[in-house]
Amino acid sequence: MVKNFEFLIAAYIIGLLLAAFGSLKINMTVIAAILLVAAILSVALYLVRRQQHVLVVIVVAVVILSGVWRWNQAIIIPADDVSKYNGQQVELLAKIDEIPSMVLAEKGGYTVSFSANAERIFINGVEQADSGGVLVYAIVATKADIPEYGETVRIYGKLAAPLAYNNPGQSSYAEYLRQKGITATMRTERLQTINRGGWLAWLGRWQQQAKLAAIENMPPEIAAVYNGILFGGSTNIPKHIQNEFRQTGIVHILSVSGTHISLVAATVFWLCNIFGTSRRYGALVAILTAWLYVFFAGFVAAAVRSALMASFALLAIVINNENNIKRALWLSALLILLYNPLNLTNVGFLLSLSATFGIAYFFGSVYQLFARVLPKKIAQVLAFTVVAQAGLLPFAAYFFNGISLVSLAANVIVTPIIDVVLIIGLFSAIVPLIIVKKLALFLSMWGLKAAIWINSGLAKLPGGRIYLPALTWWQAVTYYILLLFATLKLQFNKRILVIGGAAVWLIVLLIWISLPTKLQIHFIDVGEGAATLVITPHHHAVLLDSGGNYKKSAESFDVGERVVAPYLLHFGIRQLDAVVISHQHIDHAGGLPAVSAAVTVNRVIKNGAAANFNIDGVDFVFTEVVSGESSNANEHMLITRVSSGQLSALITGDLGMNGEYELIKRQIPINADILEIGHHGSKTSTSTEFLQAVQPHYAVISVGRDNRYGHPTAVVLDRIGQSTAKMLRTDINGAIIFEADGAEWMVKPFIN
């Protein structure tokens, strides 16, 4: 059974996948099945001792079901969870469970953020039962007011659901927080300490002093990068720096990750070897040092995961069995997913795990290949980069739509500078001498400036990044299978067979991508706004509105950049035949600049200058009407009717009742299978007469969760309810995809 160790862990992960993406749940039927399998297992142990493969199959089935059960247990939100009070003003008593992050506030003082475990909650002075995690954003006046790790604090404010955009191929911030046990957020300027935090507070104060030293002695953006590298958290790092490091494929080094843990452990291991310590004791000291770094980093989740994986790898050296490094990595993955199955969808965990497994399984073979023609040091760096990129390629394609071609140069030039800054920074944080600390901060600052400058130049090199469309599950699985076979020591004829299989796979993939598809209409979840993507059978694309939100600064969240553009790239859209803007309100047109920067836009169609066109047999017909009472140009709404054969959809923007009556009066063809409800479900739109004229089978409301306008209104929901249309909402269903199926639409909401 020990020989099948990896298969059992894989079976557990398959169970998690079946529950997470196949919606398989544990119920009485499944429990009965588990008992039945257990009975069969007992019989097998008694009667079929020599047929171990039968026993293995039974055990694997039980382990798969265990994975299903574990996932379903992990996603349960308790009845008294704090999230049930989202949207309400509360008084909350909570214990801070991480070292708070901070930056200088624009109007003075500090903006502080931290997660906390709710202990007591009061609604209008009445205590309610509650539990769960809250992410708190607070503004404090002085350093003395900054809360500390482990403290119990009293917070006054309004609870809100975490920001979430539920679209295919996009990691949701709400999902990321849920993985950390956080289900609500709160912004406050009223925060009071109730109980001190003990030794945790000491750890927090030590780290806060180190962070403040950087904030007070470095430019803001350099300090943010410095603190992110040393202690984790990239929230405060300027967006352009994150984008440039993402472009060069080394964005992970901006926050505590496996790279940092590995560097610290490797440095200690190397020093032990220099001083004549045996490999076993050097590895043991490296393990202890890695966990000491985790302690000083404040037990950041990414650091804990990375230290666990590094520890198991080093443990193989301690027990003189370096051949078990692969098994150690499997075991660390199992422990991480047993503790928190939600890590299965954590982007950082998936990228770190896939890259690490790429190194563990493929480094030796690739290094030997490169070492034949290159110096050993160069061969090592090149092999390390290639196998890491090969390991994470499907996930890079899914989450980032590409891999970096300049990552080798970035790893060779930029990463070593960051590594030196990390070591100097840790030395600065530990050494109490002010003059030494100042010198270390000075060197770190100029080291980071050089690293950022060099990385920026690499990021701007033409062709530095390859676009990759997201792979389907079967494409990703076959990719890894072929990758594994390619590294096996096979006979020449079998190796030729593997190469041939890889070539066939690539050809099938290219054919798959280029084959005609069905007409699709995507209502993207952009929050309180609208963006609708039409993909024709031959992969032409038209975007109807682009989403958007009001940005207070260049660092504010940009829906076009963070939601719409990644959505287009995820579905292989690198060129838009047209972008149609219904009107100039920011929630419909604000995402256009970011979309235009990310993909090629052939033309932009706005109200006042719209001409009908046809692509691949799909008609786009425009009608301009005055939406409301105002004569403002923004009230001139451009209505789009998309049709192909018997199928049709009507996209209405912020169409109001006056515009609806005008369309009916002018006898404009507005009947449609799919109706985008006007103005996000505002009470000034979607009259009963309009619904009767359109006669939709589906009514789609593009609307933001917990929006301040109260959309969609009860009166509109009632009108839709009295019609024959099936209602779908982006705030509930996430992205809603309609796919032509003969003369019918097949609907695929992201959330059922």
Side-chain angles (χ1 to χ4, degrees), residues 13 16-17 20-21 71 337 340-346 349-350:
I13 295 173
L16 295 179
L17 291 169
F21 301 104
W71 177 272
L337 292 174
N340 185 2
L342 299 184
N343 278 318
L344 184 68
T345 57
N346 182 282
F349 171 70
L350 290 173

Side-chain angles (χ1 to χ4, degrees), residues 295-451:
F295 169 77
F296 284 125
F299 301 99
V300 177
V304 173
R305 290 195 302 262
S306 301
L308 188 64
M309 296 176 72
S311 296
F312 276 108
L314 288 166
L315 198 59
I317 298 176
V318 173
I319 62 176
N320 283 330
N321 194 351
E322 296 182 34
N323 293 327
N324 271 335
I325 288 180
K326 295 175 185 177
R327 185 164 291 174
L329 291 172
W330 277 100
L331 182 58
S332 63
L334 174 63
L335 292 177
I336 290 168
L337 292 174
L338 279 173
Y339 174 72
N340 185 2
L342 299 184
N343 278 318
L344 184 68
T345 57
N346 182 282
V347 178
F349 171 70
L350 290 173
L351 293 175
S352 176
L353 184 67
S354 58
T356 303
F357 273 80
I359 294 166
Y361 277 86
F362 313 132
F363 177 79
S365 301
V366 176
Y367 168 69
Q368 290 176 8
L369 180 65
F370 290 155
R372 294 175 184 175
V373 294
L374 295 171
K376 288 185 177 181
K377 290 293 184 182
I378 297 176
Q380 285 177 346
V381 175
L382 183 59
F384 183 88
T385 304
V386 168
V387 297
Q389 292 280 4
L392 59 80
L393 185 143
F395 293 105
Y398 188 82
F399 291 112
F400 304 121
N401 304 114
I403 58 172
S404 174
L405 291 182
V406 296
S407 61
L408 175 61
N411 276 305
V412 171
I413 303 172
V414 180
T415 300
I417 299 175
I418 299 293
D419 292 345
V420 172
V421 169
L422 174 64
I423 299 301
I424 293 176
L426 289 174
F427 180 74
S428 167
I430 295 171
V431 174
L433 295 174
I434 299 297
I435 187 169
V436 175
K437 192 182 293 287
K438 291 274 189 182
L439 177 61
L441 287 170
F442 177 80
L443 293 174
S444 296
M445 178 184 70
W446 282 103
L448 285 178
K449 283 186 175 182

Side-chain angles (χ1 to χ4, degrees), residues 30 42 70 96 98 108 121 175 190 252 258 272 276 295 330 339 377 385 414 451 477 498 598 655 666 704 739:
V30 177
S42 300
R70 184 69 186 95
I96 300 175
E98 68 175 359
I121 193 169
E175 184 179 331
R190 297 179 61 194
H252 56 278
C272 288
F295 169 77
W330 277 100
Y339 174 72
K377 290 293 184 182
T385 304
V414 180
V477 169
V498 171
L655 183 67
R666 289 164 56 183
E739 189 174 89

